[in-house]
Amino acid sequence: MNKRLIAAVSGAALAPAFVVVLAGAASAHGYINSPPSRQAQCAQRTVQCGDIKYEPQSVEGPKGLRSCSGGNARFAELDNDALGWRATPVGRTATFRWTFTAAHRTSNWQYYIGNTLLKEVSGNDAQPPSTVSHTVNLGNVSGRQKLLAVWNIADTTNAFYACVDLQVG
Ligand SMILES: [Cu+2]
């Protein structure tokens, strides 16, 4: 083979490998595994779910949403409050632990109940370690609550979403 043909053939051989690497990066992100978020309960088969059970770290959507699915139709069951999610008993405060499969540079983490922002933790535009825990004061709420946690990425327009069902008090 001449040099040009060799270059063309090796380029064609490399292209699929490159695509696989990019797809791997795109599917590797993060979620809350303690207390078990809705996607964690799917992954643990606590609740019967679709694709999300294979990739609980992938609830990625545009910043600014307030939905458990991050607007992903493929993960729509995360928005269904009647699916039998197990609520974790907690007191006045609760500690949430994120597991990251890709250490995206972070603007901040936010914790909401309803439209109330309970806590915001800066990520200093830095890459987080593989796990991060935040203790959140839940304020005056009691009984069954749905907390929405948001991981806002610093270098993309996206965020990751995780809903955690709690039994407060
Ligand atoms: Cu990612």
Side-chain angles (χ1 to χ4, degrees):
M1 283 191 276
N2 66 33
K3 266 188 185 161
R4 227 168 122 174
L5 185 55
I6 290 169
V9 167
S10 60
L14 278 173
F18 193 57
V19 168
V20 166
V21 167
L22 286 176
S27 65
H29 325 281
Y31 69 111
I32 288 181
N33 62 347
S34 176
S37 61
R38 289 187 173 185
Q39 54 263 58
Q41 294 189 34
C42 291
Q44 293 160 4
R45 309 300 198 266
T46 305
V47 173
Q48 295 304 312
C49 306
D51 288 351
I52 187 63
K53 66 177 171 287
Y54 302 118
E55 44 176 327
Q57 72 279 4
S58 296
V59 185
E60 180 174 19
K63 290 189 175 95
L65 301 183
R66 292 291 174 270
S67 70
C68 303
S69 67
N72 292 281
R74 200 158 63 91
F75 305 148
E77 68 259 58
L78 297 174
D79 295 324
N80 182 353
D81 293 337
L83 219 58
W85 308 109
R86 189 180 298 166
T88 301
V90 294
R92 188 58 35 218
T93 65
T95 299
F96 299 92
R97 190 179 71 223
W98 290 84
T99 291
F100 303 114
T101 54
H104 295 299
R105 287 176 46 220
T106 302
S107 301
N108 58 47
W109 292 271
Q110 296 174 317
Y111 296 86
Y112 291 90
I113 289 181
N115 287 320
T116 303
L117 176 62
L118 298 174
K119 183 164 183 145
E120 182 174 300
V121 181
S122 175
N124 300 308
D125 283 7
Q127 291 187 289
S130 58
T131 67
V132 163
S133 293
H134 300 132
T135 297
V136 177
N137 188 320
L138 301 171
N140 295 321
V141 301
S142 63
R144 187 167 181 132
Q145 301 289 336
K146 179 173 64 177
L147 177 139
L148 172 67
V150 187
W151 176 29
N152 287 302
I153 306 306
D155 51 7
T156 77
T157 57
N158 284 353
F160 289 85
Y161 297 89
C163 279
V164 185
D165 294 271
L166 301 172
Q167 186 70 35
V168 183

